[in-house]
Every structure is written in C-alpha cells, then in structure tokens.
Amino acid sequence: MKIFLDTAEIEEIRIAARWGVLDGVTTNPTLYAKVGGSYEDILRQICDLTAGPVSAEVVAEDVEGMLREGRAFAKLAPNIVVKVPMSEEGLEAISRFADEGIKTNCTLIFTANQGLLAAKAGASLLSPFVGRLDDINEEGMEVIRELVPIIEMYELDSEVLVASVRHPRHVTEAALLGAHIATVPFKVLQQMVHHPLTDKGIVTFREDWEKARKAAAEKDAQTAAAAGGSGRHN
Ligand code: E4P
C-alpha cells in the first residue's frame, strides 16, 4: 500500500521523504490555511520533494470554475492531481479533466456508490473519508471494505485512497482491506514508527552496551595493572 502525507507543511514532507516512505502528498484548503502563503508556491515546493502524485484541491463549485482552477494547478508540475469534490458538477469536471488527460482525485467520498461514480467518471484517485464517518458514529472502514472489491471486480482504472485518517489503526485496516493508498497526517506517520517497547528497547540496549563497555574497560585496566605490577617484581 502506498503512503501519502496529508499536509501542506514542507518540513513534514521533507522528513517523510528522507525516511524513504513517501509515495505522494494530499493537500486541501484546510491544510493550506494552516500554513498560509501562496498555494501555488507550496504546491511547486511539494512537487520538488516527491515525484508521486500531489493533490491540489479546487474550491469552485461550478464546472467551469473547477476546470479553470484545475487546469492552472495542472500546469504547475507534471505530478499534480486535481482534487475535485464529489457532486454533480464535480463528476462533470472529473469527466472533462479525464478527456484533457488531467488526473483527478475525487474527494469527500462517504459511500461506495459515490466512489463507483467517481471511478466511472474517470477519477484516478477516490478519497473516502473514514475518520469523518467514525466521528459521526458510523463505521468509516466499511466504505473501504465495499469500494476496494468493486473497483477490482470491474477493473476500474482508479485507486482507493483512504483519507481522513485519525490514528495508526486506520492505516493497518486500510492495508488489510487492500486499499491502494492511505494518506496520513505527519503525527500518525510518527505514531506508526514508534512503539513503547521499541523505544524502551533502544534505551535498554544502549544502557547495557555502555555498562558492558565500561566493565570491559575496567577489566582491561585491571589486567594491565596486574601485568605492570608483576613486571616490576621480575
Ligand atoms: C485528504 O485528502 C483529505 O482532505 C483529508 O484526509 C481530510 O482529513 P480530515 O477529515 O482530518 O480533515
């Protein structure tokens, strides 16, 4: 399963790229609002850090507006994917972008049917929001459980991108369900790295290593002292 970072923070993307685990990036207007500045500059910088797909979201609600914004994003870098919300207008825009050879990520998907429609319209990426469904006491992963086999059974040319990930367990479940991609906040990526027993084990190994080195150094010193002492008597 591919792992995307769900952020517009350049430093977080740089770190994940250095770890060798970064397959792409998703942004949205809320993530962009957290960093501010020029959205276009941020997207260009992200595209310099990863060759994987970088999602840039349109905010227009009409087809022509979505097309205008999306075409401008697509000119920024070859790996830009235009993020379009699930709606009647969104489906039309996705279909028009597909005709123009511009890749899209259909966002704000909450049912397998919405995912099926987006795939048929020509979206490369389908983004079901699992966390927001969990937030309203629904089972977010159920959408992934239904959508992944539908995409595979009908050999649709789209990938299921699990979005709105809240914790590492979402990532494990996404992988077990055969999702193609999970996009994760940097904090979740860090949580995936750590385990209390791993972190404790690293500290214990270092302490034991230092104790052993100290004991070995003391033994060497005693041996040298003994050898020096017996040399004087001879
Ligand atoms: C990513 O493509 C989505 O926009 C993002 O995962 C939404 O996450 P949220 O529900 O935590 O805002």
Side-chain angles (χ1 to χ4, degrees), residues 6 26-28 30-31 55 57 83 105 107 127 129 131-132 135 161-166 183 185:
D6 198 21
T26 49
T27 68
N28 65 30
T30 307
L31 295 170
S55 292
E57 186 158 343
K83 213 169 172 196
N105 170 356
T107 191
S127 290
F129 278 31
R132 291 195 195 185
D135 291 346
L161 187 166
V162 179
S164 189
V165 163
R166 299 270 192 266
T183 188

Side-chain angles (χ1 to χ4, degrees), residues 63-193:
V63 178
E64 291 309 320
M66 289 178 186
L67 291 172
R68 201 169 41 250
E69 289 176 24
R71 286 177 190 136
F73 289 146
K75 284 195 187 122
L76 295 174
N79 51 333
I80 286 280
V81 173
V82 179
K83 213 169 172 196
V84 180
M86 166 50 64
S87 65
E88 295 178 16
E89 294 77 10
L91 285 173
E92 186 173 336
I94 287 167
S95 169
R96 302 258 306 265
F97 279 130
D99 290 343
E100 294 178 21
I102 293 176
K103 292 196 167 167
T104 53
N105 170 356
C106 184
T107 191
L108 290 164
I109 288 178
F110 292 94
T111 67
N113 278 342
Q114 289 179 322
L116 174 60
L117 289 174
K120 287 181 70 67
S124 318
L125 304 175
L126 313 172
S127 290
F129 278 31
V130 295
R132 291 195 195 185
L133 281 169
D134 289 356
D135 291 346
I136 59 160
N137 203 28
E138 287 192 26
E139 177 56 50
M141 277 297 159
E142 201 49 39
V143 184
I144 311 303
R145 196 170 286 114
E146 292 179 348
L147 186 55
V148 169
I150 290 171
I151 296 303
E152 283 172 2
M153 201 184 316
Y154 295 101
E155 298 180 349
L156 295 164
D157 197 14
S158 308
E159 291 181 296
V160 176
L161 187 166
V162 179
S164 189
V165 163
R166 299 270 192 266
H167 49 71
R169 193 65 211 160
H170 274 152
V171 183
T172 308
E173 285 170 12
L176 286 170
L177 292 171
H180 306 88
I181 307 160
T183 188
V184 305
F186 185 67
K187 182 172 161 258
V188 173
L189 192 66
Q190 286 179 308
Q191 289 172 325
M192 288 166 69
V193 175

Side-chain angles (χ1 to χ4, degrees), residues 9 63 72 112 199 224:
E9 289 275 2
V63 178
D199 298 348

